Amino acid sequence: MGIKFGREYKDIIGDFTEALQSVDGCHEFLEMEEGDWAELAPEDRTACMQTLADDLFYGLGTEPTMSVGDCQVTHDPKRHLIRVDRGDTFTRVIHLV
């Protein structure tokens, strides 16, 4: 099915990467131990989050909601956006158009 978008893909992934960097426990989705994650240089963490954002973007094309760390990531095709939610305390919105 896939996600329809009108913005530049690199801009969407940039916003998505930034949102994911605020998610606790995202290293678990990457099957990394907390100690290994902590040892990564900041630029390596960013590269991992960019890869994760890319993977989630394509995954959300078939599964509208996915769990990552302590958050739910949801594709809302009617509003053309992706939401990153952590209960009532944190919400990031990535606009697709």
Side-chain angles (χ1 to χ4, degrees), residues 69-81:
D70 63 349
C71 290
Q72 291 286 86
V73 179
T74 307
H75 172 231
D76 184 340
K78 291 180 183 175
R79 293 187 180 99
H80 305 288
L81 55 86

Side-chain angles (χ1 to χ4, degrees), residues 3-20 53-54 57 80-82 93-97:
I3 292 179
K4 295 182 181 179
F5 58 95
R7 288 178 62 203
E8 289 287 327
Y9 182 75
K10 67 180 179 79
D11 294 337
I12 294 169
I13 293 302
D15 290 349
F16 204 179
T17 299
E18 184 179 321
L20 290 172
D54 190 55
F57 185 86
H80 305 288
L81 55 86
I82 295 171
V93 176
I94 296 93
H95 295 277
L96 301 172
V97 293

Side-chain angles (χ1 to χ4, degrees), residues 16-97:
F16 204 179
T17 299
E18 184 179 321
L20 290 172
Q21 288 176 327
S22 301
V23 173
D24 292 331
C26 59
H27 63 277
E28 295 169 1
F29 194 86
L30 299 168
E31 298 181 2
M32 292 183 73
E33 297 293 326
E34 188 171 349
D36 294 334
W37 180 252
E39 290 178 7
L40 287 178
E43 60 272 7
D44 293 334
R45 287 186 193 185
T46 299
C48 287
M49 289 298 95
Q50 187 172 359
T51 300
L52 179 57
D54 190 55
D55 291 348
L56 288 171
F57 185 86
Y58 285 100
L60 289 168
T62 57
E63 295 290 327
T65 301
M66 302 176 84
S67 294
V68 178
D70 63 349
C71 290
Q72 291 286 86
V73 179
T74 307
H75 172 231
D76 184 340
K78 291 180 183 175
R79 293 187 180 99
H80 305 288
L81 55 86
I82 295 171
R83 291 177 53 102
V84 179
D85 294 300
R86 180 177 17 172
D88 295 333
T89 61
F90 174 82
T91 299
R92 290 289 303 263
V93 176
I94 296 93
H95 295 277
L96 301 172
V97 293

